[in-house]
């Protein structure tokens, strides 16, 4: 029996099992088995030395956004409208067979937009080019899930991506000996010690330390044990709103993390760009040379997800050795209490701040007067060296 058949068999067993207090341990074990099988399904075949077939797209710009969706929902048309890059679009499905990149110029930044092939049913099990699409999506900052507003199909699923979710506060560490240590700082309603032991034994883990810092579910515990989940921000983009009624558009627009657009009539594209900018959380910092006007042409772009937004991160972004020469910095902007504000390297910068770096002064060699204050000789005789006599 293949992996796909085993997954379907376990899913059928889960569907016919009643959910109650007596079956929660059995359902937890079944969920762990499915997670293990899906991970094996998406892993590259054993014995392969190369990385396999994939999408080779070099990162460019200050951020990366991936377009994911079913075939023929308007991903290629949206890429053409936002970036100007020509992506083949047609009325038939699977027009795009590879990854096509484009660049969005927005708010003095460059954002890379990737048009990926359409997701088919069973892509999370490796069908189609699901493995490559998921790999590229994991390297992106946010995901734009493009959907057809005229169809009632669900969202494409993936066993690797966790959209609009935060990582669970569960501490997990494998040990060599000592058995399983189970603790929690809050009252647990979904997982108990017995269920945790059964899930760990399903993964053949008999020595580990587990600490729950929140009331997490069985799925959260499995995600922590797997360790390969990617928690990403996602915006659900409903295209083709020009073919549905205004009441349906109003319902879709009120859903969380959703934007309604029309690529055919070029409607609400500005709102999409604004929502994408807000989700990425990019911070533009402008530099000001000492005694000169600020340079508002080429900002330094920082992000909380990409290193941080402190003055230390700003200095490391310019040059890795600059931090050693910084005496203090002057900051103008919303993060400063007064203009200018003397700040240290731990100060957190905000969008459109202006920063001036004041470096330490180098010590002058030599000294003043007839006795030298700096010398290469040992300290015990350096103060006794005299200069040449003055000319009269």
């Amino acid at each position: 029996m293949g992996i796909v058949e085993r997954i379907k068999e376990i899913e059928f067993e889960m569907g016919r099992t009643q959910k109650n207090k007596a079956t929660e341990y059995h359902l937890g074990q079944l969920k762990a088995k499915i997670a293990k099988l899906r991970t094996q399904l998406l892993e590259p075949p054993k014995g392969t030395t190369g990385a396999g077939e994939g999408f080779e797209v070099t990162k460019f710009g200050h951020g990366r956004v991936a377009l994911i969706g079913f075939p023929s929902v308007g991903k290629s048309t949206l890429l053409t409208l936002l970036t100007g890059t020509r992506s083949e679009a047609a009325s038939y499905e699977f027009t795009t067979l590879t990854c096509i990149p484009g660049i969005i110029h927005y708010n003095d930044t460059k954002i890379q937009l990737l048009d990926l092939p359409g997701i088919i049913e069973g892509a999370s099990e490796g069908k189609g080019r699901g493995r490559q699409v998921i790999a590229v999506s994991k390297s992106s900052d946010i995901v734009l899930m493009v959907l057809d507003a005229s169809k009632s199909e669900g969202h494409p699923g993936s066993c690797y991506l966790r959209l609009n979710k935060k990582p669970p506060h569960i501490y997990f560490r494998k040990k060599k000996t000592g058995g399983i240590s189970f603790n929690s700082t809050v009252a647990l309603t979904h997982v108990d010690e017995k269920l945790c032991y059964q899930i760990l034994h399903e993964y053949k883990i008999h020595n580990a330390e587990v600490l729950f810092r929140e009331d997490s579910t069985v799925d959260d515990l499995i995600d922590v044990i797997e360790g390969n989940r990617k928690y990403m921000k996602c915006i659900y983009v409903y295209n083709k709103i020009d073919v549905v009624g205004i009441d349906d558009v109003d319902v879709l627009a009120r859903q969380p993390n959703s934007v309604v657009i029309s690529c055919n009539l070029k409607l609400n594209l500005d709102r999409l760009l604004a929502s994408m900018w807000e989700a990425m959380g990019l911070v533009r910092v402008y530099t000001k040379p000492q005694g000169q006007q600020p340079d508002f042409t080429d900002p330094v772009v920082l992000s909380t997800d990409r290193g941080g937004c402190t003055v230390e991160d700003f200095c490391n972004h310019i040059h890795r050795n600059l931090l050693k020469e910084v005496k203090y910095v002057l900051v103008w902007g919303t993060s400063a209490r007064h203009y200018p504000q003397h700040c240290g390297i731990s100060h957190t910068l905000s969008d459109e701040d202006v920063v001036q770096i004041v470096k330490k002064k180098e010590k002058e060699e030599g000294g003043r007067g007839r006795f030298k204050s700096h010398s290469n000789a040992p300290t015990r005789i350096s103060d006794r060296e005299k200069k040449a006599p003055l000319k009269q």
Side-chain angles (χ1 to χ4, degrees):
M1 182 182 295
I3 298 179
V4 178
E5 288 76 12
R6 291 169 61 187
I7 291 176
K8 291 182 179 179
E9 183 180 352
I10 296 175
E11 289 178 345
F12 177 75
E13 185 178 353
M14 291 179 60
R16 68 180 183 180
T17 303
Q18 295 183 357
K19 296 181 180 179
N20 51 49
K21 192 70 175 178
T23 60
E24 63 179 3
Y25 301 108
H26 179 61
L27 291 175
Q29 283 184 317
L30 295 179
K31 289 181 179 180
K33 289 181 180 179
I34 288 182
K36 283 181 58 181
L37 293 174
R38 285 179 174 171
T39 302
Q40 295 175 9
L41 197 62
L42 289 179
E43 288 179 350
K46 294 183 179 180
T48 56
T49 56
E53 185 180 2
F55 302 131
E56 296 182 0
V57 181
T58 304
K59 278 193 174 183
F60 180 81
H62 304 107
R64 171 180 277 195
V65 180
L67 291 174
I68 297 180
F70 293 110
S72 299
V73 293
K75 299 188 298 298
S76 300
T77 306
L78 182 61
L79 176 76
T80 303
L81 291 175
L82 295 180
T83 66
T85 302
R86 180 62 181 173
S87 180
E88 185 179 356
S91 58
Y92 53 87
E93 295 184 350
F94 303 107
T95 309
T96 303
L97 300 177
T98 184
C99 180
I100 301 177
I103 300 298
I104 301 176
H105 297 270
Y106 187 74
N107 286 345
D108 297 332
T109 61
K110 298 177 182 179
I111 302 173
Q112 188 179 43
L113 186 64
L114 303 179
D115 180 20
L116 298 172
I119 294 290
I120 63 175
E121 184 179 356
S124 59
E125 300 174 355
K127 293 184 179 179
R129 307 204 70 179
R131 185 184 294 114
Q132 290 84 356
V133 171
I134 293 172
V136 175
S137 301
K138 290 175 68 175
S139 66
S140 304
D141 296 316
I142 65 171
V143 170
L144 294 185
M145 189 77 71
V146 185
L147 303 168
D148 193 341
S150 61
K151 297 180 181 179
S152 59
E153 54 191 2
H155 301 160
S158 171
C159 65
Y160 274 146
L161 302 181
R162 295 292 179 263
L163 303 178
N164 296 326
K165 290 183 61 179
K166 294 183 179 179
H169 293 283
I170 302 176
Y171 174 77
F172 172 75
R173 183 177 67 89
K174 293 183 181 180
K175 299 188 300 184
K176 295 182 179 180
T177 58
I180 297 176
S181 173
F182 179 87
N183 293 291
S184 64
T185 59
V186 296
L188 302 178
T189 59
H190 306 285
V191 182
D192 58 7
E193 187 173 358
K194 180 181 177 181
L195 181 56
C196 179
Y197 283 12
Q198 290 182 349
I199 294 175
L200 290 175
H201 290 167
E202 186 66 33
Y203 283 91
K204 298 180 180 180
I205 300 175
H206 306 287
N207 300 284
E209 185 178 354
V210 182
L211 174 61
F212 282 78
R213 296 190 177 97
E214 64 178 6
D215 188 15
S216 303
T217 62
V218 177
D219 297 328
D220 295 334
L221 177 60
I222 294 175
D223 290 346
V224 172
I225 295 174
E226 288 281 348
N228 55 2
R229 307 302 191 239
K230 178 73 174 183
Y231 296 85
M232 304 184 63
K233 298 178 181 178
C234 175
I235 299 177
Y236 298 99
V237 183
Y238 291 92
N239 189 23
K240 304 180 183 180
I241 60 174
D242 52 319
V243 298
V244 297
I246 188 64
D247 295 335
D248 298 332
V249 174
D250 183 67
V251 171
L252 295 176
R254 294 181 183 275
Q255 294 183 4
N257 304 313
S258 300
V259 178
V260 293
I261 65 169
S262 174
C263 294
N264 186 23
L265 301 180
K266 300 180 181 179
L267 297 177
N268 212 25
L269 296 180
D270 294 338
R271 175 59 183 168
L272 174 60
L273 290 175
S275 300
M276 184 178 64
W277 174 265
E278 182 180 358
M280 296 185 70
L282 298 180
V283 175
R284 295 164 294 172
V285 181
Y286 299 95
T287 57
K288 179 185 181 302
Q290 198 166 1
Q292 302 180 20
Q293 293 295 324
D295 182 14
F296 292 106
T297 58
D298 188 15
V300 176
V301 182
L302 306 175
S303 174
T304 305
D305 299 332
R306 287 191 174 192
C309 300
T310 62
V311 173
E312 181 179 1
D313 304 321
F314 170 78
C315 295
N316 291 330
H317 192 279
I318 296 176
H319 197 277
R320 60 183 180 180
N321 294 330
L322 178 61
L323 198 62
K324 302 177 182 178
E325 305 174 3
V326 174
K327 184 178 182 181
Y328 62 89
V329 296
L330 300 176
V331 178
W332 294 261
T334 56
S335 68
R337 298 181 180 178
H338 48 81
Y339 301 148
Q341 179 180 349
H342 287 64
C343 301
I345 60 175
S346 61
H347 178 76
T348 302
L349 300 172
S350 300
D351 190 26
E352 294 186 320
D353 278 0
V354 177
V355 174
Q356 175 182 330
I357 298 177
V358 179
K359 296 184 178 180
K360 301 175 183 177
K361 293 184 179 180
E362 297 181 358
K363 295 182 180 180
E364 297 180 357
E365 292 295 334
R368 295 180 179 180
R370 292 183 53 81
F371 294 94
K372 298 173 64 176
S373 60
H374 300 285
S375 174
N376 296 328
T379 307
R380 60 182 181 275
I381 63 173
S382 60
D383 56 342
R384 289 181 288 175
E385 291 187 13
K386 296 184 178 180
K387 294 183 178 180
L390 297 176
K391 296 182 179 180
Q392 296 181 355

